[in-house]
Amino acid sequence: MSENASSLHFLPWSVRPGARTWRCDPAPAEVRAFHAALPDYSPTRLTELPSLAAELGVGRVFVKDESCRLGLPAFKALGTSWAVHRTLVERAANGVEQGPVTLVTATDGNHGRALARMARRLGQNAHVFVPQGVHPQAVAAIVAEQAKVTEVPGPYDEAVRLAAEAAAVPDAVLVQDTAWPGYEQIPGWIVEGYSTLCAEIDEQLAGEGVAEGPDLVSVPVGVGSLAQAVVTHYRSRPSERAAALLSVEPEAAACVLESLTRGEPVSVTTGDTTMAGLNCGTPSSIAWPYLRAGLDAAVAVADSDSARAAGDLAVLGVSSGPCGAAALAGLRVALTGVGAEERRTALGLGPSSVVVLLSTEGPAANPHSTIGH
């Protein structure tokens, strides 16, 4: 059960003692091999930023830079490529005639573009539903991948509902990166696809002399699918030295934080945020058990926090959009201000700790990031 730190009521924060002792099964090993065989695959950069380590009072800080992943400006292509591959293999195994299929999804931008790219490459069709608030340039990028786009005059959850309806016809498949009861297999494959990112971090840290892995990983959260993959990776290890895991959401759409605080999955009414890819009101049903059991803490940040973080990362040579920079913004909020020492202790951080920030997108993924910079 989550324990909300009532003494820190001014800070949107939830902490769960004992998360580091929880264990689960690992992701399938063949995911990494699949990605490595793709023609445009290469590991994304893991960049060390000593000035951030000094600022945050830890030993070393690394940023996993997802601003160019399989030719796209965000990490999402890892999940969609594996899920589409598994979907088409499954259809063939079930004897479904192999004509073109329409891959349907709802998106805040990056997932839909990645799905459209995969569909185009594989000779399939794509139909992408986009909620209110997604920047026209992000919509244009999906259209440029030759997908049909339907703009929805409502929030993300409404776009998901309409996409599911549109996919309920022959020769269409919903490839959605959130799950709900009755729709969990394909979202599960998407989560598996993200495991490649974590496997790369292991190898890259080992190359930097950190073979035992990080002490803390900070991960931006929308519906929680990437966070589920991160929890799966770090909580499936036999290691005595488990990493602390911190989730970060926009204050305008903190569905995971609210769910952790209440101890059950809940939907929240979302507001406007420049962190468009994280503007989600309902946790994924398959992610929730992992988030509840395996996250050490959750925090919500303001748009101004992520904007500042993105600007600071840019100065340090890391291209990060508002969603990607949320990882730094969230850790900063947790480690500063009244109650910071209590939160630092809850996360197990000390002066020699190694921290990894997941910067999940570059500025090109979310044109809002250029505003005011």
Side-chain angles (χ1 to χ4, degrees):
M1 181 68 91
S2 168
E3 292 185 10
N4 199 42
S6 57
S7 62
L8 309 175
H9 60 87
F10 56 89
L11 176 66
W13 164 265
S14 178
V15 62
R16 181 185 179 274
R20 268 160 273 179
T21 64
W22 185 73
R23 289 293 177 269
C24 62
D25 293 329
E30 61 264 29
V31 178
R32 179 70 189 283
F34 166 79
H35 285 133
L38 295 177
D40 47 0
Y41 170 78
S42 62
T44 55
R45 292 191 309 158
L46 187 74
T47 303
E48 184 169 10
L49 300 176
S51 62
L52 285 185
E55 175 199 331
L56 297 169
V58 296
R60 304 176 78 178
V61 171
F62 296 89
V63 179
K64 183 62 167 166
D65 180 356
E66 293 292 309
S67 60
C68 186
R69 169 64 79 176
L70 294 171
L72 292 172
F75 75 101
K76 293 284 190 176
L78 288 173
T80 55
S81 58
W82 176 247
V84 170
H85 165 72
R86 288 299 309 270
T87 297
L88 296 178
V89 166
E90 192 93 348
R91 284 172 68 84
N94 291 336
V96 179
E97 206 172 305
Q98 290 303 293
V101 65
T102 299
L103 305 173
V104 185
T105 199
T107 187
D108 279 322
N110 295 325
H111 169 70
R113 184 178 178 187
L115 184 70
R117 171 75 59 93
M118 285 301 301
R120 180 166 62 83
R121 282 189 175 183
L122 297 173
Q124 311 296 326
N125 302 312
H127 185 182
V128 179
F129 288 75
V130 178
Q132 209 165 9
V134 175
H135 196 280
Q137 284 176 239
V139 177
I142 299 170
V143 172
E145 301 290 349
Q146 299 172 17
K148 176 183 177 183
V149 173
T150 298
E151 298 192 52
V152 176
Y156 175 80
D157 286 4
E158 175 68 3
V160 170
R161 186 184 68 79
L162 293 173
E165 285 183 3
V169 297
D171 298 323
V173 180
L174 184 68
V175 184
Q176 194 60 57
D177 56 346
T178 187
W180 53 87
Y183 180 73
E184 296 184 329
Q185 184 179 54
I186 289 175
W189 289 335
I190 289 174
V191 171
E192 289 176 359
Y194 298 152
S195 65
T196 291
L197 186 157
C198 299
E200 291 174 2
I201 292 173
D202 285 348
E203 294 163 6
Q204 291 167 320
L205 283 179
E208 295 285 347
V210 190
E212 65 275 20
D215 295 289
L216 179 138
V217 179
S218 179
V219 54
V221 168
V223 298
S225 296
L226 175 61
Q228 180 187 349
V230 171
V231 169
T232 298
H233 184 76
Y234 290 102
R235 298 296 181 246
S236 61
R237 297 171 148 195
S239 169
E240 297 291 315
R241 187 173 165 280
L245 304 177
L246 172 69
S247 73
V248 186
E249 296 169 280
E251 289 179 349
C255 64
V256 169
L257 175 59
E258 184 65 20
S259 298
L260 291 170
T261 301
R262 296 198 194 182
E264 62 181 3
V266 296
S267 295
V268 300
T269 300
T270 59
D272 293 330
T273 174
T274 52
M275 292 172 270
L278 308 181
N279 195 7
C280 307
T282 305
S284 171
S285 67
I286 57 172
W288 168 247
Y290 289 79
L291 307 182
R292 179 187 59 203
L295 283 176
D296 290 83
V299 69
V301 297
D303 285 0
S304 56
D305 296 325
S306 77
R308 177 189 161 215
D312 292 345
L313 288 170
V315 169
L316 296 171
V318 176
S319 295
S320 189
C323 298
L328 171 57
L331 190 58
R332 271 179 168 164
V333 165
L335 300 186
T336 58
V338 178
E341 283 309 312
E342 186 181 339
R343 295 189 292 272
R344 186 180 292 265
T345 300
L347 294 170
L349 291 180
S352 62
S353 296
V354 175
V355 170
V356 172
L357 308 174
L358 303 188
S359 178
T360 50
E361 64 171 26
N366 183 348
H368 280 297
S369 65
T370 59
I371 296 171
H373 294 296

